[in-house]
Amino acid sequence: MLRPLDLILILVMVATATVTYTIKYSAEATLDEVRSLEDQIALEENNIDLLKADEALLTQPARMARLSEFFAAELDLQPAEPEQIATLDQLPPIAPEPQPEELPPLMAGDAPDGTDIVITGSVTP
């Protein structure tokens, strides 16, 4: 015959097994998610490397020179003339920094007529 203690221990064992399997399957699901994210990161890093290689190929000076010669009529490109480059004395002067205005301190009773000039939201003037 089963005693009440045996029934309690069987229930505890079944509950423990259930919790163990639940934790195990949630950990495996989390691990699958982490692996999926790592695969996505690796794919994006490969895409970044590919785009950097494409940029390096497309911005080669020899290629740019060929393109500028090919599209010279459409773009109407001309070499820069020396007089197009400004010197420092030809640049406009830098505006001086604005000086902060000297304001009297906001202290109680410092108004010219002797009234309190400090206004708060809870007191009406």
Side-chain angles (χ1 to χ4, degrees):
M1 220 188 253
L2 292 176
R3 290 186 249 160
L5 180 62
D6 292 339
L7 289 175
I8 292 173
L9 290 176
I10 290 172
L11 288 175
V12 168
M13 183 179 67
V14 169
T16 305
T18 304
V19 169
T20 302
Y21 283 116
T22 303
I23 291 173
K24 175 188 174 199
Y25 288 123
S26 69
E28 287 177 356
T30 304
L31 182 61
D32 289 340
E33 185 180 341
V34 167
R35 286 183 183 151
S36 172
L37 289 174
E38 287 174 347
D39 291 342
Q40 288 177 357
I41 290 171
L43 179 65
E44 292 300 324
E45 287 175 348
N46 288 339
N47 286 340
I48 289 171
D49 291 339
L50 181 63
L51 290 173
K52 286 181 180 178
D54 283 346
E55 179 189 17
L57 180 68
L58 293 174
T59 58
Q60 289 179 345
R63 180 180 179 277
M64 301 302 278
R66 283 193 317 267
L67 287 174
S68 67
E69 290 172 6
F70 184 76
F71 293 107
E74 289 88 1
L75 297 175
D76 194 26
L77 297 175
Q78 298 172 0
E81 297 295 326
E83 51 272 351
Q84 290 177 314
I85 300 172
T87 60
L88 287 177
D89 58 336
Q90 293 172 332
L91 295 176
I94 298 174
E97 291 187 22
Q99 298 296 324
E101 186 179 333
E102 293 289 330
L103 297 174
L106 295 177
M107 302 280 297
D110 281 350
D113 60 355
T115 60
D116 188 4
I117 59 172
V118 177
I119 300 172
T120 62
S122 63
V123 179
T124 56

